[in-house]
């Protein structure tokens, strides 16, 4: 090991480490410190003084830790085609990553590296994000050279035709397909995503403190204003509180839109010779390359807001960066907001046979509808109706309305479940549909299934029913309440494809 050529990254990589650890603290540490922050807000008298002290201490600790991490950071590219990383401060760690285990080599250009012509070279391996190798602050030429070296070695070792497509996009005569999204469309993803709800959930522990402050600073003034303007027509205090709640929701939505723009700004997607390349980002222009053969499954989703906007979200899952849990990481290929024509365009690239409107989905058994109606519609409504004994007739009306609403949702969920199998050019695919008001389609090749499982309760066995679960490297596909013979047939055929097909999907 002493003969290895260990190298340092550029001193400017210190900026990357500072930003990286600051982001990790905000993402992970802040939520762990929520109880302390609540006590600080509610109990500490001189908040400004002690807050400045805490911020100063945290900033100094961040700078010292980042500098120590940079001084201990070393990397080496060995003759055995391995990437070695030495890193850590209090706990020293050596990461060894063989070229053959590298899924993708991606290049990210943060805004603070752009004037210096430096980038981050990211080696994405199957597994958790902690096993991801990042070389920050290297030149673009060096990063491109490393990517070509890794992909060329994989192609020569694996000896498969499809890996030759990974050496260089220019070696193929297949025309390059392109999909671009305007920033106006990207902003719609902020409305479609659940980031606004997450922002409100993060503010929940501080709601009481915030409303106490707002009541003194804003609500009382709004109440006086509404009292002068509307008089006795409405309750001025209630209108003031409603205005504040509406303002909080609008701020959360604006933050969600802002985060979408930061992540997907100037979105560009290219497809050529079975390989995706995506370039997007405002603060960091992130370039992501994904081979179609490495994609474990593809989902096409449309929630309630997306249905109103007539948009879809398409996502490609890989066996990397934590599998399904890593779907929101930077290594996940997301097409955030597509209209129906763009969805068909992407489907033609990936699955030319796929047309969701023409697929004749097989549904699940009505026993699922009956069970869900009893447990999720009738019983909650009966529990509400019991309150009529101590309440008034208005409670009974609420119980009937809730029964109608819940029954409608249960029926929608039942109707959404469905599956469809298709053969194209000797390959077998499965399409699974689920949802309620929203809808989600998951498409994958059957040979990429890792395991299957059937579930049958006592009453299901009496009715000859089974629930089906297929485990992929990118999550689980679940289909409830099929006939037992039907579920066994799906399981047997899926396992046969997984055992018979010798193609590599890693």
């Amino acid at each position: 090991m002493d003969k290895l050529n260990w190298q340092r990254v550029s001193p400017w990589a210190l900026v990357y480490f500072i930003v990286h650890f600051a982001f990790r603290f905000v993402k992970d540490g802040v939520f762990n410190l929520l109880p302390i922050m609540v006590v600080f807000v509610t109990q500490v008298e001189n908040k400004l003084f002690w807050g400045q002290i805490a911020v100063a201490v945290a900033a100094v600790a961040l700078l010292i830790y980042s500098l120590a991490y940079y001084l201990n950071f070393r990397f080496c590219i060995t003759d055995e085609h391995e990437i070695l990383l030495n890193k850590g401060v209090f706990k020293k760690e050596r990461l060894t990553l063989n070229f053959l285990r590298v899924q993708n080599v991606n290049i990210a250009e943060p805004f603070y590296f752009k004037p210096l012509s430096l980038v981050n070279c990211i080696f994405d391996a199957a597994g958790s994000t902690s096993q991801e190798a990042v070389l920050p602050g290297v030149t673009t030429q060096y990063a491109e050279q490393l990517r070509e070296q890794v992909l060329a070695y994989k192609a020569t070792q694996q000896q498969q035709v499809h890996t030759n497509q990974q050496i260089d996009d220019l070696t193929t005569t297949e025309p390059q397909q392109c999909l671009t999204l305007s920033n106006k469309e990207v902003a719609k993803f902020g409305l479609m995503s659940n980031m606004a709800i997450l922002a409100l959930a993060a503010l929940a522990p501080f709601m009481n403190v915030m409303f106490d402050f707002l009541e003194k600073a804003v609500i009382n003034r709004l109440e006086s204003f509404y009292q002068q303007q509307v008089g006795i027509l409405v309750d001025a205090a209630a209108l003031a509180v409603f205005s504040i709640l509406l303002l909080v929701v609008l701020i959360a939505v604006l933050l969600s839109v802002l985060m979408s723009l930061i992540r997907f700004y100037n979105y560009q997607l290219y497809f050529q010779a079975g390989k995706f390349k995506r370039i997007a980002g405002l603060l960091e222009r992130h370039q992501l390359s994904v081979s179609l053969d490495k994609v474990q499954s593809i989902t096409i989703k449309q929630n309630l807001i997306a249905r109103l906007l007539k948009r879809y979200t398409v996502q490609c899952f890989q066996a990397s960066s934590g599998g399904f849990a890593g779907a929101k990481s930077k290594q996940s290929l997301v097409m955030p907001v597509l209209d129906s024509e763009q969805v068909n365009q992407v489907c033609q690239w990936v699955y030319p046979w796929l047309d969701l409107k023409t697929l004749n989905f097989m549904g699940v058994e009505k026993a699922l509808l009956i069970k869900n109606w009893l447990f999720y519609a009738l019983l909650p409504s009966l529990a509400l109706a019991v309150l009529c004994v101590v309440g008034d007739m208005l409670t009974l009306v609420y119980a009937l309305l809730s029964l109608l609403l819940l029954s409608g949702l249960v029926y929608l969920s039942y109707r959404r479940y469905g599956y469809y199998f298709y053969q194209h050019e000797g390959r077998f695919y499965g399409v699974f549909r689920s949802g309620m008001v929203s809808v989600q389609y998951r498409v994958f090749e059957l040979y990429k299934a890792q395991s299957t499982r059937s579930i049958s309760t006592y009453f299901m066995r009496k009715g000859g029913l089974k629930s089906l679960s297929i485990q992929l490297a990118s999550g689980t596909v679940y289909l409830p309440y099929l006939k037992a013979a039907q579920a066994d047939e799906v399981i047997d055929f899926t396992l046969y494809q997984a055992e018979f097909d010798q193609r590599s999907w890693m």
Side-chain angles (χ1 to χ4, degrees):
M1 299 298 292
D2 294 335
K3 297 180 180 180
L4 295 176
N5 183 24
W6 291 98
Q7 304 178 60
R8 283 185 179 273
V9 291
S10 168
W12 290 103
L14 178 61
V15 180
Y16 166 82
F17 292 126
I18 294 174
V19 174
H20 174 72
F21 291 120
F23 178 78
R24 284 187 57 182
F25 173 77
V26 173
K27 181 180 177 182
D28 303 325
V30 169
F31 285 99
N32 296 328
L33 295 175
L34 278 180
I36 299 177
M37 295 174 65
V38 172
V39 173
F40 175 82
V41 173
T42 56
Q43 303 297 328
V44 176
E45 293 294 334
N46 195 349
K47 296 182 179 62
L48 180 60
F49 173 76
W50 291 110
Q52 291 175 341
I53 295 295
V55 170
V57 171
V60 172
L62 174 64
L63 292 175
I64 294 176
Y65 185 85
S66 300
L67 178 60
Y69 197 92
Y70 164 75
L71 294 175
N72 291 324
F73 190 89
R74 300 283 193 282
F75 75 95
C76 177
I77 309 299
T78 69
D79 295 334
E80 287 75 25
H81 304 285
E82 292 179 333
I83 305 165
L84 303 182
L85 286 185
N86 275 351
K87 56 184 181 178
V89 179
F90 302 110
K91 182 178 71 173
K92 299 297 179 65
E93 178 184 356
R94 172 167 291 175
L95 174 64
T96 303
L97 180 60
N98 191 282
F99 283 7
L100 292 177
R101 302 305 179 194
V102 175
Q103 293 273 10
N104 301 302
V105 182
N106 303 312
I107 299 174
E109 185 181 21
F111 70 96
Y112 47 82
F113 279 165
K114 193 169 184 179
L116 306 169
S117 298
L118 300 178
V119 297
N120 296 331
C121 188
I122 304 170
F123 301 90
D124 183 26
S128 65
T129 53
S130 61
Q131 299 304 309
E132 177 184 84
V134 181
L135 299 182
V138 298
T139 63
T140 304
Q141 181 181 0
Y142 185 74
E144 294 284 357
Q145 178 184 346
L146 279 180
R147 176 160 63 180
E148 293 179 3
Q149 182 180 351
V150 171
L151 297 181
Y153 178 76
K154 285 169 62 69
T156 56
Q157 291 296 314
Q158 293 175 358
Q159 296 297 320
Q160 294 182 3
V161 175
H162 71 276
T163 55
N164 293 331
Q165 300 170 355
Q166 295 179 321
I167 299 177
D168 193 349
D169 289 341
L170 298 178
T171 61
T172 179
T173 57
E174 182 177 327
Q176 186 180 68
Q177 308 290 337
C178 180
L179 173 67
T180 59
L181 298 178
S182 66
N183 293 324
K184 180 181 177 180
E185 288 293 313
V186 170
K188 293 179 181 179
F189 182 69
L191 303 176
M192 294 163 45
S193 67
N194 58 357
M195 286 186 285
I197 299 176
L198 295 177
L200 291 175
L203 294 175
F206 306 98
M207 284 300 181
N208 291 333
V209 178
M210 290 174 57
F211 272 105
D212 289 341
F213 171 77
L214 291 173
E215 184 177 5
K216 298 176 182 178
V218 181
I219 295 180
N220 290 336
R221 297 181 181 179
L222 277 177
E223 183 179 354
S224 300
F225 173 77
Y226 286 136
Q227 188 68 36
Q228 295 175 1
Q229 298 297 323
V230 298
I232 60 174
L233 295 178
V234 295
D235 189 343
L239 187 58
V241 173
F242 175 78
S243 300
I244 294 299
L245 289 175
L246 182 61
L247 178 62
V248 172
V249 172
L250 288 176
I251 292 175
V253 171
L254 289 176
L255 288 175
S256 179
V257 172
L258 178 62
M259 293 302 296
S260 300
L261 289 172
I262 290 176
R263 183 180 179 188
F264 297 115
Y265 185 80
N266 283 351
Y267 187 96
Q268 298 173 341
L269 179 68
Y270 303 94
F271 183 78
Q272 186 179 33
K275 182 179 179 182
F276 287 104
K277 183 172 74 172
R278 185 213 68 191
I279 304 175
L282 178 61
L283 302 180
E284 179 183 72
R285 293 296 291 172
H286 192 268
Q287 179 176 316
L288 173 66
S289 299
V290 176
S291 175
L292 182 57
D293 291 331
K294 306 305 180 184
V295 174
Q296 304 303 307
S297 64
I298 292 179
T299 62
I300 304 172
K301 298 184 291 185
Q302 187 183 50
N303 58 22
L304 178 59
I305 304 299
R307 294 191 68 179
L308 296 176
L309 297 174
K310 298 181 180 180
R311 294 296 185 269
Y312 298 83
T313 298
V314 180
Q315 191 161 6
C316 299
F317 294 95
Q318 302 181 80
S320 60
S321 300
F324 186 80
K328 296 182 179 179
S329 73
K330 294 181 180 180
Q331 305 307 320
S332 176
L333 177 60
V334 181
M335 299 160 228
V337 51
L338 306 180
D339 57 30
S340 58
E341 293 183 1
Q342 291 171 326
V343 171
N344 292 332
Q345 178 184 352
V346 172
C347 288
Q348 288 299 311
W349 299 348
V350 182
Y351 304 128
W353 54 269
L354 182 59
D355 186 355
L356 298 176
K357 295 181 180 180
T358 62
L359 299 186
N360 185 20
F361 286 94
M362 298 288 293
V364 297
E365 297 300 312
K366 290 184 179 179
L368 175 66
L369 175 63
I370 297 173
K371 188 265 291 185
N372 286 346
W373 184 78
L374 288 174
F375 282 96
Y376 303 118
L378 183 60
L379 289 180
S381 300
L382 288 176
L384 183 60
V386 169
L387 299 177
C388 292
V389 178
V390 294
D392 51 20
M393 291 303 296
L394 187 60
T395 308
L396 180 60
V397 175
Y398 289 153
L400 292 175
L401 291 176
S402 68
L403 178 61
L404 292 175
L405 176 61
L406 294 175
S407 298
L409 295 177
V410 167
Y411 179 75
L412 287 176
S413 176
Y414 160 74
R415 292 291 297 174
R416 288 295 189 198
Y417 277 114
Y419 68 97
Y420 183 84
F421 291 103
Y422 191 86
Q423 180 184 4
H424 178 71
E425 297 181 353
R427 297 186 177 187
F428 293 88
Y429 301 85
V431 185
F432 289 77
R433 184 182 65 187
S434 61
M436 188 180 291
V437 178
S438 60
V439 62
Q440 174 177 299
Y441 303 90
R442 182 176 282 254
V443 189
F444 62 95
E445 282 197 68
L446 296 184
Y447 87 97
K448 295 185 178 181
Q450 291 187 324
S451 64
T452 60
R453 183 165 61 105
S454 63
I455 306 168
S456 182
T457 63
Y458 173 78
F459 292 104
M460 291 176 66
R461 289 193 297 272
K462 287 293 184 180
L465 301 173
K466 286 184 178 181
S467 293
L468 173 66
S469 176
I470 300 177
Q471 181 65 47
L472 303 171
S474 57
T476 303
V477 178
Y478 178 71
L479 195 65
Y481 282 70
L482 301 175
K483 291 182 179 179
Q486 200 174 8
D488 291 338
E489 182 180 356
V490 172
I491 289 174
D492 292 340
F493 186 73
T494 302
L495 291 179
Y496 172 77
Q497 293 298 320
E499 295 173 0
F500 176 77
D501 201 318
Q502 299 300 315
R503 285 178 294 152
S504 174
W505 47 264
M506 287 295 291

